[in-house]
Amino acid sequence: MDWKEEYKRKISDAETAIKDIRDGDCLVLGHAAAVPRIVPHAMAEHCEDYNDVLIFHMTTLGDNELLHPRCFGHFRHVSNFLSSNSRDAVNHLEGDFFPAYFHDVPSMIGDEIPCDIAVFQATPPNENGYCSLGVSCDYAIASIRRARSVIIETNELMPFTYGNTMIHVSQIDHIIPCAYHLPELNSDAPSEVEQAIGKHCASLITDGATLQLGIGAIPNAVLSELADKNDLGIHSEMFSDGVVELMQKGIINGSRKTMHRGKVVATFIMGSRKLYDFVDNNPDIELYPVDYTNDPIIIAQQYRMTSINSCLEVDLMGQVASETIGIRQYSGIGGQIDFVRGASMAREGKSIIAMPSTAAGGTISRIQPFLTHGSAVSTTRNDVNYLVTEYGIARLKGRTLKHRAEDLISIAHPNFRPMLIEEYERRFQCKWDISL
Ligand code: COA
């Protein structure tokens, strides 16, 4: 059948599409800035019609109506990455957290993560009947292949991206044409502390490196310090606005990448409207499913692969907690360990964990003798390589426990060094005689 006929036949509205959802189903929802809006709204409006529907999602940018209290009792949430709009619901009775490496999620869809219904967003079809998944590729194709019913909001304002982002009209059950702006993530200008961290990280980045950067102010501060570098590349889980200027200046050109030479590669994109316009129909940008971008074996093939991620707390052995504060789940592991390991295995690779030395307005040291009781270790002491704060760089790889403690104390906030030195002297039965 001509795809155009099929397209017309499949055009639906949200009210009709959600009739496919049965009690007890598991629904997998699109990710980050590509989270669908119309179907969740209809589901929330009709939440009384549903019982025990499980929703798997990761970060959902903007307002996720399925997390509103009126939906509690009808929908349960399972997530392996929390953000401000899902943290409370998932940490409490309405949901549960699902520890998993991001790169494993596609292979778990249809198995450990059942997928009866897939609800995603894409562009309207091109001349051959293919829709692009736009700014979020990650676990969409795996879900679309497995679901009993595939519901796609085809958004005219979704950027068309290349790589492995195409789904064909024939793979969709309900097509919901729409036009709405994607939610934006606008980062504040980096603070003095973040800028200092950015400078230290930049000093570790060499010409020709391929970078992975996480989310937030620190990655943007790092990028703003790279003006004098050459031939950088990007192979990342995600990227945001900071890369645009460096691409326009030719500093990020991917010319020395081992794989996908000349291309910026990621699995999702989150940022401002300016970023979304930049990636639209841009052949320099390629998105792939997360089981490819975040596969440590793929990452390891990039020459000078350099990963930069952040964390919440580090203990004196170099154990890194990035996703929990005590037993409270704050975010998730995302691609942190995927990239730490991939970068460590790469030729001339480096992995960097960067964080401000304190939290909670300077009242808590992020370098502690012990992790907060109940915290999960995200990056183990065996995996950790460089740790950076605004006070400097500690290279922990290859260092003994005693030397690690010394290096970490030297980059801790001065207000907390006496407390850490006290623990050091107790633990190693020696006097602290290093001048800081
Ligand atoms: N003890 C108590 N509170 C702490 C704390 C600690 N050790 N560390 C941080 N906090 C508080 C902060 O004060 C802040 O509180 P506020 O919201 O009231 O200001 C909050 O926790 C968040 O800390 P912050 O450092 O500002 O978080 P962030 O938004 O910069 O995110 C991570 C940092 C580590 C949570 C985030 O990078 C993450 O989830 N990383 C893991 C996943 C990953 O690395 N993915 C990589 C690929 S994208």
Side-chain angles (χ1 to χ4, degrees):
M1 191 202 296
D2 178 4
W3 73 261
K4 286 182 185 149
E5 288 298 312
E6 195 173 4
Y7 175 74
K8 272 191 218 142
R9 192 170 47 78
K10 288 180 170 176
I11 286 183
S12 182
D13 56 37
E15 311 284 325
T16 310
I18 62 172
K19 293 203 172 99
D20 281 6
I21 305 169
R22 301 175 194 151
D23 289 350
D25 270 355
C26 181
L27 180 152
V28 178
L29 189 66
H31 184 220
V35 62
R37 185 186 298 179
I38 296 169
V39 174
H41 174 72
M43 287 171 68
E45 288 285 302
H46 295 277
C47 62
E48 285 82 10
D49 298 346
Y50 299 100
N51 280 307
D52 198 30
V53 172
L54 189 66
I55 298 168
F56 174 84
H57 57 82
M58 292 184 61
T59 297
T60 54
L61 194 61
D63 183 23
N64 181 349
E65 288 190 55
L66 297 172
L67 290 158
H68 287 190
R70 69 172 160 157
C71 295
F72 292 177
H74 303 287
F75 305 127
R76 287 182 300 119
H77 298 268
V78 65
S79 180
N80 74 331
F81 200 99
L82 306 187
S83 42
S84 54
N85 63 3
S86 58
R87 206 165 282 135
D88 285 341
V90 175
N91 268 298
H92 297 113
L93 293 177
E94 302 311 322
D96 205 352
F97 185 78
F98 182 86
Y101 297 131
F102 195 5
H103 82 261
D104 276 337
V105 169
S107 68
M108 290 175 162
I109 301 266
D111 194 353
E112 291 86 355
I113 306 169
C115 180
D116 302 296
I117 311 284
V119 182
F120 286 85
Q121 208 191 128
T123 63
N126 67 7
E127 62 285 1
N128 297 316
Y130 284 93
C131 306
S132 162
L133 290 163
V135 295
S136 237
C137 190
D138 29 60
Y139 50 87
I141 290 174
S143 309
I144 288 162
R145 285 201 183 126
R146 294 300 190 108
R148 184 183 76 233
S149 175
V150 175
I151 306 171
I152 305 290
E153 297 181 8
T154 53
N155 183 355
E156 280 174 29
L157 301 180
M158 172 63 88
F160 198 100
T161 59
Y162 302 101
N164 181 3
T165 60
M166 303 297 163
I167 54 165
H168 193 259
V169 163
S170 58
Q171 294 174 275
I172 308 174
D173 296 294
H174 297 276
I175 295 171
I176 303 176
C178 54
Y180 54 81
H181 286 294
L182 300 188
E184 295 178 57
L185 182 79
N186 293 304
S187 311
D188 296 335
S191 65
E192 248 177 63
V193 165
E194 288 153 352
Q195 207 61 53
I197 294 169
K199 270 199 175 64
H200 292 308
C201 292
S203 73
L204 295 169
I205 296 170
T206 45
D207 287 350
T210 289
L211 307 179
Q212 174 260 333
L213 293 138
I215 192 170
I218 291 177
N220 282 338
V222 175
L223 289 163
S224 73
E225 296 290 340
L226 300 178
D228 61 343
K229 309 282 177 187
N230 298 296
D231 301 336
L232 299 177
I234 300 282
H235 180 104
S236 195
E237 172 179 312
M238 60 90 60
F239 69 89
S240 197
D241 286 67
V243 300
V244 175
E245 203 185 319
L246 292 181
M247 282 179 78
Q248 285 166 337
K249 288 184 176 156
I251 293 166
I252 292 177
N253 58 24
S255 63
R256 287 158 79 175
K257 284 179 85 173
T258 319
M259 295 163 79
H260 304 282
R261 189 158 287 186
K263 306 286 180 190
V264 164
V265 169
T267 195
F268 73 98
I269 296 163
M270 206 159 46
S272 69
R273 180 93 51 87
K274 190 177 147 214
L275 174 72
Y276 302 146
D277 289 344
F278 179 77
V279 303
D280 186 26
N281 259 305
N282 186 335
D284 295 335
I285 313 283
E286 290 185 349
L287 266 64
Y288 292 89
V290 67
D291 47 350
Y292 178 78
T293 56
N294 285 28
D295 180 346
I297 294 166
I298 298 296
I299 298 163
Q301 293 175 48
Q302 294 289 3
Y303 169 60
R304 291 193 176 166
M305 185 72 214
T306 305
S307 71
I308 303 166
N309 291 294
S310 194
C311 72
L312 296 166
E313 199 176 36
V314 181
D315 73 10
L316 281 182
M317 296 191 282
Q319 300 194 98
V320 177
S322 308
E323 42 175 322
T324 66
I325 304 171
I327 58 163
R328 181 173 161 77
Q329 191 71 43
Y330 185 81
S331 55
I333 185 120
Q336 182 163 125
I337 199 73
D338 300 336
F339 280 92
V340 164
R341 291 195 173 140
S344 303
M345 289 188 286
R347 187 160 59 98
E348 297 182 36
K350 283 180 194 151
S351 81
I352 302 167
I353 305 278
M355 59 166 193
S357 65
T358 62
T363 58
I364 296 174
S365 174
R366 295 204 196 216
I367 299 176
Q368 287 285 345
F370 305 96
L371 293 181
T372 301
H373 187 58
S375 282
V377 174
S378 309
T379 293
T380 76
R381 62 185 191 168
N382 309 302
D383 289 296
V384 73
N385 188 354
Y386 291 95
L387 237 146
V388 172
T389 71
E390 68 275 28
Y391 291 99
I393 302 170
R395 188 172 186 209
L396 303 186
K397 188 176 177 182
R399 302 284 279 166
T400 63
L401 291 177
K402 186 161 177 265
H403 289 145
R404 282 170 181 235
E406 289 164 359
D407 295 345
L408 285 166
I409 292 169
S410 74
I411 61 164
H413 192 285
N415 290 353
F416 297 99
R417 286 180 193 164
M419 167 277 281
L420 295 166
I421 289 171
E422 203 179 298
E423 170 62 22
Y424 170 91
E425 292 184 338
R426 187 167 41 237
R427 197 176 290 186
F428 299 106
Q429 297 289 303
C430 64
K431 276 303 281 164
W432 177 267
D433 60 358
I434 300 166
S435 62
L436 293 172

